[in-house]
């Protein structure tokens, strides 16, 4: 769980991944079986949504910084 947190997963999501893989092993499947991978993809979907919102704010702040830089150059130039 500690390693998963350093990779950006919440503790709940990390425990969910562990439960999915343990359930697959109990049924004789590996983590690379298609059914297991499909189940694991559900955990990744929530992370992608959060990452998209974070990306939006990064782009918005960079855009604002660019506008301020252009305004400063325009003001200094004349």
């Amino acid at each position: 769980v500690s390693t998963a947190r350093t990779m950006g997963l919440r503790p709940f999501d990390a425990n969910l991944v562990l439960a999915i893989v343990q359930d697959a092993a109990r049924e004789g499947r590996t983590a690379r079986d298609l059914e297991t991978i499909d189940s694991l993809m559900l955990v990744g979907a929530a992370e992608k949504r959060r990452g998209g919102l974070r990306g939006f704010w990064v782009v918005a702040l960079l855009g604002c910084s660019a506008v301020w830089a252009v305004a400063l150059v325009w003001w200094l130039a004349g």
Side-chain angles (χ1 to χ4, degrees):
V1 175
S2 298
T3 302
R5 287 186 66 146
T6 62
M7 294 188 298
L9 285 174
R10 299 178 305 162
F12 177 83
D13 294 330
N15 284 311
L16 185 57
V17 168
L18 290 171
I20 290 169
V21 174
Q22 285 176 344
D23 184 54
R26 186 174 35 250
E27 294 179 358
R29 293 181 284 123
T30 66
R32 294 184 181 184
D33 285 339
L34 291 179
E35 188 176 338
T36 307
I37 292 171
D38 285 342
S39 298
L40 289 171
M41 293 297 288
L42 296 173
V43 177
E47 184 64 31
K48 289 178 187 173
R49 282 195 303 269
R50 278 184 259 132
L53 187 58
R54 188 178 316 138
F56 166 77
W57 286 111
V58 168
V59 170
L61 289 173
L62 287 174
C64 288
S65 298
V67 169
W68 278 105
V70 169
L72 180 63
V73 168
W74 179 74
W75 180 67
L76 289 173

